[in-house]
Amino acid sequence: MVANKKSLTTAILGALVALSIIALVLSLVKIEDVPLPPAVKYGMVFDAGSSHTSLFVYEWDSDKENDTGVVSQALSCDVQGQGISSYASDPPKAGDSLRVCLEKALKVIPAAKQSEVPTYLGATAGMRLLREQNSSAADQVLAEVAKTMREYPVAFKGARILTGEEEGAYGWITINYLLESFTKYSPKAHAWVHPEAANIFGALDLGGASTQISFMPEGSLNWTEASQFTLYGYNYSIYTHSYLCYGQNEMLKRLAKELIVESSSSTRVDHPCYPKNYNETVSLSSFRTSPCTNASDPRLTVSNRNVTLQGRGNASGCLAAVRKLFNFSACGQSQDCTFDGVYQPPVHGQFIAFSAFYYNFKFLNLTEGQSLDAVKETIEGFCRRTWEDLSSSYPEENAERLPKYCANANYILTLLLDAYKFNETSWNNIFFQMKAGSANVGWTLGYMLNLTNMMPAEAPVWIKGHVPSLWAAAVAFIILTLTLGLAALLVLLWV
């Protein structure tokens, strides 16, 4: 009986102690609003270039940093086939070509968020050329693209043709964001901060139909030439210019046309940039497919004859032929001028050269910071190699691209040295790369970043939560100790 009394007393005392502790802790705990983690937002951008289309999916926290999202790449998908401008004669195929990548994108975006994902398609130089040549065909291609994208559960915001300056400026934003020139996470501050000594990079972009240069000049900039942005609370004013018809593919067409026109009516024409023993047959009618080569020369407009281009592997002759594509005389003696009379302040700072700049130099193993002399020597040596040598040395390289690397490389040298006026010293400030971190370099990320400026930051979602303080825990421990001591004493006295 005594044992039962003891057990019962002990149990009661234990329960009382536990209840008193719980009541005490609850009375001392401060109840306040606690924010939930910010929601993740998504966005999609199609880069509809002249030679291909790619889709990029981006994500960022809804609370943003100084009104700009901290954006990361969640997915990239290359659309099969050529650029959407190639579907001018069959516009529905332009929309259909996007379906595979759209379906891949929806697999990485939660179903509950898909309906609010802003989705854009930006077309670049290929569609700019198509609009010049046939504006109704360009409109129809964009209409078919929009029709397809509206079939998917996303917030489609439109398909439009970007200006060359927009393309260049957004590429500049992408580069400097990825290289943490705008904002950088500080582990010490546990926050995103503006770098005190930010290194702002310039952007060099070479596409299929156009090329862009964008950078922050030293000193003041003529306001008519400036593109202005506000990113992470800071204002930036940059120079940017785009040259239509000076993209890699259009340059090759223009080069071939000039060589043919200079040779009069010959059906066999020497091509100094093609490897020796390589031949390519082209129809004069093919030059009428682009505004860049659709000249009024009667030898091009009234004849559909074929011409065979015979490779000669002449490095110096190639460089000379490429230089003729530029009108350098239009600048006179002005140093603030590239070609065709276009104003440009002196290049300043470090530059990232991407897209075709990178791909051509990567093939030639020239992306490791080689000196200008080493670059020239490598290009000259490559241009002297025969077609048999090249095709056996690079059996896995695309047979259509391989004979064009000599022309492309000499074109890059001419554009950077003679047009943009980099020299032997500033050449070392050019870095050839296509990625920074895990994200692709290009205009789409910069486009998405700039758009986040226009999207209102969401107010944090709050819940009622319990936040215990240190003194409450200390008092609870003291009360627990005293209670247990009193309980033990009570038991001993009862016994």
Side-chain angles (χ1 to χ4, degrees), residues 94-109:
D96 290 338
S97 68
L98 310 179
R99 294 186 185 278
V100 172
C101 282
L102 278 167
E103 289 164 5
K104 285 185 179 179
L106 293 179
K107 291 180 180 178
V108 302
I109 300 173

Side-chain angles (χ1 to χ4, degrees), residues 30-67:
K30 181 182 177 183
I31 300 177
E32 63 180 26
D33 288 334
V34 180
L36 287 173
V40 176
K41 306 285 282 186
Y42 294 88
M44 298 199 298
V45 184
F46 276 98
D47 175 4
S50 59
S51 57
H52 73 281
T53 299
S54 297
L55 169 63
F56 298 93
V57 178
Y58 298 109
E59 61 183 16
W60 65 95
D61 287 344
S62 58
D63 56 0
K64 302 200 287 186
E65 295 293 332
N66 281 338
D67 297 325

Side-chain angles (χ1 to χ4, degrees), residues 411-431:
Y411 177 65
I412 288 173
L413 285 181
T414 303
L415 186 61
L416 296 179
L417 300 176
D418 299 315
Y420 297 157
K421 294 183 173 58
F422 286 93
N423 54 36
E424 189 168 351
T425 301
S426 57
W427 177 268
N428 297 322
N429 291 330
I430 305 175
F431 302 93

